[in-house]
Amino acid sequence: MIPVTDDWGDPDLVTARARERLLSGDVVLGGPRGAILSSWQRCRSLAINPDRWAPPYEADLDLDAPLVRAAGPMLDWLQSRITGTRARVSLADSQGRKLLRRVGEASLAGRLDAVSDAPGFCFAEHAVGTNAIGLALVERRPCHVLGAEHFTEHTQRDACVSVPIRNPLDGHLEGVIDFACDVADVTPEAEYLMYEAGHAIELRILEQASERERALLRTYVAAERRVHALAHSAGTPVAPDALSGGRGAHETPPILRERAAELVGAGRRAAVEVPLGHGLTATLLCRPLVTPSGVAGFAVEALFPDGPLQHVTPSVPDTVEVPQPGGPQRASADTPPAPRPNRPDPASYPMAGTPDGTGPAVPRRATGVQLISVGEQGIGRLAVASRRRLRLLIEAAAHIGTTLDVTRTAEELVRAAVPELADLAMVDLAEPVLRGEEPGSAIAAGTMLRRTALHGFHEGLSLYPVGHVAGFLATTPQARCLAAGRAVLEADLRAAPGWKAQDPERVERILAQGIHSLITVPLIARGVTLGVASFYRRTQPEPYEEDDAALASELATRAALCLDNARRYTRERATALTLQRSLLPRELPEQTAVEVAHRYLPAQADVGGDWFDVIPLSGARVALVVGDVVGHGLHAAVTMGRLRTAVHSFATLDLAPDELLARLDDLVIDFDRSRTGGPDDAEIIGATCLYAVYDPVSQSCTLARAAHPPPVVVHPDGTVETPDLPAGPPLGLGGLPFETGELHLPEGSQLVLYSDGLIEDRDRDIDDSLDLLHRALAHPDRTPEQTCRAVLDALPTPHSSDDVTLLVARTRALPPADIACWDVPDDPAAVSDIRAAALRQLSEWGLDEAAFTTELVLSELVSNAIRHAKGPIQVRLLRDRTLICEVSDGSSTAPHLRHAADTDEGGRGLFLVAQLADRWGTRYTAHGKVIWASQPLD
């Protein structure tokens, strides 16, 4: 343990060496002030790097808050006082984020911006270490930090003074006003200016309050003074500075005044222990003030083991005088703040950290008993209720509207109201609201509303459950509030026949359970009535009053805006989902190569660009496709539709998987080149895709992928594997080729294709997701539909931020008995032999009715191959859902359909084939081409 004393001389040197000792792990005694040393210790425990200066930045600032409106003119006035100096003044909110800044020299602004000393950056102690703003928020009193007292090296050339700003109505800490300059330029006037500027800002905040709030505070202050005068006449010893405007009250910790107000409001004798921090405890005693006419009020005194608390220097008061007509005028940029009463001379506010001017310090003891508060019971109760209601609105604003879900927002409203405002709360909404539709400007009596949220004590109560749909009679409070557009108060439900008329038998059971008072409020936002909120009291003995109705109205108004935002989002998301689903396949085409099941789950936040497809190809083959467009929203959904259409078009050309992806890559590049460059086109289009072609004759599968997750193969014996396929670049990158891979899939194998939304989860490692996927697939006896269910059960995605696409295909094989092949010699005379062999095969299959058409098709295709192509030539007949005739040769030249002239000797054979066959086409192979034609078997 190394003591640090002032014997070292220079106070800055003492502080700097003490900080070095602390950072090295030694215990420091003496040297820096207690508040600074405590702050250093907290910073060290938070592992803040003293050599690194990086305040976090937050762009979401409320620059229209009452604090900003009140402080703006005062900061302008302060700027006029520091013009030409290197000083600056700043306003920060209760989280330490700078909101406003004024500088003495214009050139200083750029240097401050370069070091993140600007609006939006957070100066809380836990973010940047010891500084005046952060310390004032922690200590909740005026603080100054000089030079080496700062924790980080970057700020040790500054001297800073910060004064907290409280809302005079409820004592809530709104923010901090801060003065900073070079250590060498500090003057005693700086701290005095901050005190007075903080006081003026508090007055301006009070001016922004409603007239009702100001009247309540005026009444409360006046009653406190009146009862204090009565206390003198009753012989109660009261110190002159105990009034709210005096210096002694200013030094009282806020927690003591808050508890004292509660005791006065309760109106009875009481004794309560209140912890003060620093190991100190006070006992509050509440006793009546008796005059010859009876009890005039109550007084609350604080008893300490060693005497009342005092401070070395005065702190900023937490209550202020309410501006009266003709009193202090509104502060402006041209008017300095009025001096605060009972203020010492500015010279008594030295800035240096010396024994005679250490600024606000840790409380120390004195002698005697301290009077905390006096007041009338009724006024005290109203003041306590007012603070609680303001606190309820503040908490409700933070907890209502956290999501864009209508039902969730309604639940947040009822949870915010219980138990502070109500014992039981419920929300009933119009059906169109839940669907995101416009419910109309008004809801008439009898309109069907759905119970959307219910919270509070309702066990044993015969209430409509969540999900129940009912209409309210015109005589009920709910219908009346909807018709009038304002809150309706029923202080005594037993004397409310209109409420009982809704369901007399059910209402009697509710009354028997103790429900006695009701407030109903319409939920109206932007001129649209969404539903109604109902608040009931049961355990609280006092019936609702008009103040409660006003509070419920304010709460409902804020919630209604959140509900309407959620409703609009629901409508927009439903529109996007409708568009997206219209672009996805509604039903899969019939084919025999694979048995298919699929799942598509849209993202919770916004629609994405995932798609899947099953495309029948020639030769009884089938193409399986899964793709994913980068991004979310309508733009991604539209791009997905365009790509899916392109894949269909390219698939009809019987392109190989790698060639198809190459053409799709060129198409995505063209999409980017043709964009307009508007705000919606800020991001470059990108996509991933997996394209697989399965042939049931050879039981082979050819695949190519463009940066898409590889498929999973489940073999008939239960083995699960992820084949090693070339990844390929994403679509839209250009310039890089795609590669194909080939798999042998025996009959009964399962090919599982999916998007990355299935396996990517912020709370789960991707390897763990793949293990879960493999375990879920290790059941070859399951059908594809059962496999889809098992996979989604094993990999739940209830709050996925991305779409989830799953396509499971169980392979089938074309029976050998349904396949016939013949090699064709390079001799025109062989055509007749092929026709005869084909007719015999058709007879064996029982397809004699197709013999004539098949004979003509084969004659033309084989003759063309012998005349115009090169060998080897082969004929294949496939009996599937259609009868497929295929003629393959070694040439890459494909015939074209044309209209022959009357004088042409040839050119009519292919036209004849097109007329006789249902479909025909050409596909290329590694050794040539195949010309095929199919005809229906019905």
Side-chain angles (χ1 to χ4, degrees):
M1 181 181 302
I2 300 182
V4 179
T5 67
D6 288 342
D7 294 338
W8 291 352
D10 186 357
D12 280 341
L13 182 60
V14 171
T15 303
R17 291 181 176 176
R19 177 173 162 276
E20 292 175 1
R21 295 291 184 183
L22 178 75
L23 294 176
S24 64
D26 294 329
V27 177
V28 178
L29 296 178
R33 294 178 286 131
I36 297 297
L37 184 57
S38 299
S39 177
W40 287 355
Q41 292 169 343
R42 290 191 296 270
C43 296
R44 187 169 177 269
S45 65
L46 293 172
I48 296 176
N49 187 349
D51 299 322
R52 182 172 179 267
W53 173 253
Y57 179 78
E58 296 184 33
D60 186 17
L61 301 177
D62 185 4
L63 297 181
D64 194 41
L67 173 64
V68 178
R69 296 198 302 270
M74 290 310 307
L75 263 67
D76 293 338
W77 180 81
L78 288 171
Q79 185 177 25
S80 68
R81 297 293 303 270
I82 63 174
T83 299
T85 70
R86 294 178 53 83
R88 67 265 189 192
V89 289
S90 305
L91 178 73
D93 62 13
S94 59
Q95 301 177 39
R97 299 176 301 182
K98 285 200 174 182
L99 303 175
L100 300 175
R101 184 190 67 189
R102 301 291 187 270
V103 296
E105 290 182 359
S107 61
L108 183 60
R111 293 194 291 272
L112 294 176
D113 291 342
V115 295
S116 304
D117 188 357
F121 289 96
C122 180
F123 283 71
E125 184 185 78
H126 63 80
V128 296
T130 306
N131 69 95
I133 293 177
L135 191 59
L137 291 174
V138 173
E139 297 285 328
R140 306 182 73 83
R141 59 186 176 86
C143 293
H144 65 256
V145 179
L146 307 175
E149 291 180 342
H150 290 87
F151 190 76
T152 58
E153 296 283 351
H154 171 80
T155 55
Q156 292 191 356
R157 60 177 177 272
D158 293 337
C160 305
V161 183
S162 290
V163 175
I165 300 171
R166 289 186 172 87
N167 189 318
L169 287 172
D170 58 2
H172 180 73
L173 186 63
E174 296 287 347
V176 172
I177 185 170
D178 174 71
F179 172 91
C181 66
D182 292 343
V183 175
D185 299 333
V186 66
T187 63
E189 184 185 17
E191 189 169 0
Y192 175 75
L193 284 176
M194 290 302 101
Y195 278 123
E196 301 307 319
H199 173 58
I201 294 173
E202 289 176 349
L203 291 179
R204 291 178 58 85
I205 292 175
L206 189 60
E207 290 177 354
Q208 298 178 36
S210 67
E211 182 56 34
R212 170 179 170 74
E213 292 170 333
R214 293 200 299 269
L216 178 62
L217 185 58
R218 283 197 297 268
T219 306
Y220 183 68
V221 172
E224 193 172 68
R225 288 175 172 172
R226 185 170 65 254
V227 176
H228 179 65
L230 292 174
H232 275 292
S233 64
T236 303
V238 180
D241 61 0
L243 292 173
S244 60
R247 177 175 173 180
H250 296 168
E251 298 174 354
T252 304
I255 188 173
L256 291 184
R257 291 196 307 279
E258 292 179 5
R259 296 302 302 274
E262 295 177 0
L263 293 175
V264 171
R268 61 177 181 271
R269 291 180 179 271
V272 179
E273 286 192 351
V274 181
L276 302 177
H278 304 288
L280 307 178
T281 302
T283 301
L284 293 183
L285 300 178
C286 180
R287 59 184 179 81
L289 298 176
V290 182
T291 65
S293 60
V295 176
F298 290 85
V300 178
E301 298 169 325
L303 303 181
F304 306 94
D306 301 317
L309 295 177
Q310 289 186 350
H311 292 81
V312 176
T313 60
S315 60
V316 174
D318 295 294
T319 58
V320 298
E321 293 292 341
V322 183
Q324 304 289 342
Q329 300 299 312
R330 178 187 298 269
S332 66
D334 300 322
T335 306
R340 186 176 293 186
N342 299 322
R343 267 295 166 219
D345 185 77
S348 64
Y349 291 89
M351 287 288 296
T354 59
D356 62 342
T358 59
V362 178
R364 70 181 188 183
R365 294 298 187 185
T367 58
V369 176
Q370 186 170 351
L371 179 67
I372 302 299
S373 178
V374 290
E376 297 174 356
Q377 177 186 355
I379 298 299
R381 184 175 65 84
L382 289 176
V384 172
S386 176
R387 287 190 176 185
R388 287 178 175 174
R389 288 166 182 168
L390 289 173
R391 189 180 304 117
L392 171 62
L393 291 177
I394 293 172
E395 293 177 355
H399 293 94
I400 297 177
T402 59
T403 67
L404 288 172
D405 181 82
V406 174
T407 301
R408 179 71 178 273
T409 303
E411 292 172 350
E412 291 171 346
L413 168 58
V414 296
R415 291 183 181 277
V418 177
E420 285 294 329
L421 176 62
D423 299 310
L424 177 64
M426 59 195 67
V427 172
D428 299 281
L429 298 177
E431 288 277 11
V433 175
L434 298 171
R435 299 191 298 267
E437 301 172 2
E438 193 83 26
S441 59
I443 299 178
T447 301
M448 305 305 288
L449 303 178
R450 181 179 292 275
R451 179 66 45 85
T452 308
L454 176 65
H455 184 63
F457 177 84
H458 59 272
E459 302 232 347
L461 294 178
S462 301
L463 298 170
Y464 295 138
V466 172
H468 180 80
V469 179
F472 292 102
L473 298 179
T475 58
T476 60
Q478 287 84 354
R480 284 156 45 206
C481 83
L482 289 172
R486 56 181 177 79
V488 171
L489 168 63
E490 291 288 357
D492 186 2
L493 288 176
R494 293 189 176 275
W499 180 66
K500 295 181 180 180
Q502 177 74 18
D503 191 338
E505 186 176 333
R506 184 188 300 271
V507 165
E508 288 299 331
R509 293 197 296 268
I510 294 175
L511 290 174
Q513 294 292 326
I515 297 293
H516 61 82
S517 191
L518 164 68
I519 295 175
T520 62
V521 188
L523 297 170
I524 303 175
R526 302 179 179 96
V528 176
T529 303
L530 309 176
V532 61
S534 303
F535 306 98
Y536 292 87
R537 273 190 176 171
R538 176 180 178 271
T539 58
Q540 301 183 47
E542 301 86 1
Y544 280 123
E545 301 174 349
E546 290 298 331
D547 287 346
D548 299 308
L551 175 62
S553 297
E554 179 68 20
L555 190 63
T557 299
R558 300 187 183 191
L561 284 173
C562 297
L563 283 169
D564 193 53
N565 290 337
R567 178 191 66 81
R568 290 166 178 257
Y569 171 77
T570 301
R571 179 185 60 191
E572 293 175 1
R573 186 170 185 270
T575 302
L577 280 175
T578 301
L579 171 63
Q580 185 187 43
R581 292 187 184 279
S582 69
L583 298 174
L584 291 171
R586 297 187 179 181
E587 57 183 22
L588 298 181
E590 294 183 358
Q591 44 77 39
T592 56
V594 290
E595 179 188 357
V596 178
H598 62 87
R599 291 290 188 276
Y600 172 76
L601 303 177
Q604 292 294 315
D606 203 353
V607 296
D610 286 17
W611 88 92
F612 66 93
D613 224 329
V614 178
I615 308 172
L617 302 177
S618 63
R621 300 171 305 137
V622 65
L624 305 172
V625 191
V626 171
D628 183 5
V629 175
V630 175
H632 294 85
L634 285 175
H635 184 67
V638 171
T639 303
M640 175 270 291
R642 298 171 71 183
L643 292 181
R644 178 173 175 258
T645 302
V647 170
H648 262 274
S649 301
F650 295 149
T652 59
L653 300 176
D654 268 319
L655 299 177
D658 57 339
E659 187 177 353
L660 184 143
L661 291 182
R663 297 199 180 187
L664 205 62
D665 183 49
D666 294 337
L667 186 64
V668 173
I669 295 176
D670 289 340
F671 287 169
D672 278 324
R673 290 173 179 170
S674 63
R675 302 200 315 164
T676 61
D680 295 336
D681 294 337
E683 297 181 1
I684 297 177
I685 298 174
T688 65
C689 185
L690 173 60
Y691 186 82
V693 176
Y694 173 69
D695 187 348
V697 177
S698 63
Q699 301 179 33
S700 64
C701 183
T702 306
L703 310 93
R705 63 189 182 110
H708 200 83
V712 177
V713 176
V714 183
H715 295 280
D717 61 357
T719 304
V720 181
E721 67 168 338
T722 299
D724 185 13
L725 297 176
L731 298 176
L733 189 61
L736 297 175
F738 297 93
E739 300 181 51
T740 59
E742 188 164 342
L743 304 174
H744 179 68
L745 301 178
E747 185 173 12
S749 301
Q750 288 192 5
L751 185 64
V752 181
L753 285 67
Y754 55 90
S755 63
D756 55 5
L758 180 69
I759 58 174
E760 291 183 355
D761 191 299
R762 66 184 66 181
D763 300 323
R764 185 173 57 231
D765 187 78
I766 192 169
D767 291 333
D768 296 335
S769 297
L770 290 174
D771 290 340
L772 292 174
L773 177 61
H774 281 212
R775 286 199 293 269
L777 293 174
H779 298 274
D781 54 327
R782 289 175 177 162
T783 65
E785 188 67 30
Q786 292 171 337
T787 299
C788 284
R789 287 198 296 268
V791 168
L792 294 183
D793 289 341
L795 293 163
T797 55
H799 304 292
S800 176
S801 59
D802 196 5
D803 294 9
V804 174
T805 304
L806 177 63
L807 183 65
V808 179
R810 172 181 279 177
T811 61
R812 296 170 178 154
L814 199 64
D818 292 336
I819 306 171
C821 293
W822 301 280
D823 293 328
V824 181
D826 190 9
D827 184 0
V831 175
S832 60
D833 295 336
I834 294 299
R835 286 201 304 264
L839 292 176
R840 289 193 299 271
Q841 184 63 57
L842 293 178
S843 179
E844 291 180 10
W845 285 342
L847 301 178
D848 295 316
E849 294 182 358
F852 178 73
T853 302
T854 304
E855 187 176 10
L856 291 177
V857 170
L858 285 177
S859 295
E860 178 59 29
L861 296 182
V862 173
S863 297
N864 283 342
I866 294 174
R867 184 180 298 115
H868 302 292
K870 61 181 181 180
I873 302 173
Q874 188 180 65
V875 172
R876 187 170 71 169
L877 290 182
L878 303 176
R879 183 176 65 171
D880 191 35
R881 292 179 179 273
T882 61
L883 179 62
I884 303 170
C885 302
E886 295 182 345
V887 177
S888 62
D889 57 56
S891 173
S892 59
T893 303
H896 296 281
L897 181 66
R898 67 186 182 89
H899 290 277
D902 294 340
T903 58
D904 290 344
E905 296 183 0
R908 296 174 180 82
L910 203 55
F911 178 78
L912 183 63
V913 170
Q915 298 301 312
L916 295 175
D918 182 39
R919 296 174 61 226
W920 76 279
T922 303
R923 71 173 181 268
Y924 294 92
T925 65
H927 307 289
K929 68 176 181 296
V930 176
I931 302 177
W932 58 271
S934 66
Q935 50 185 305
L937 296 180
D938 54 356

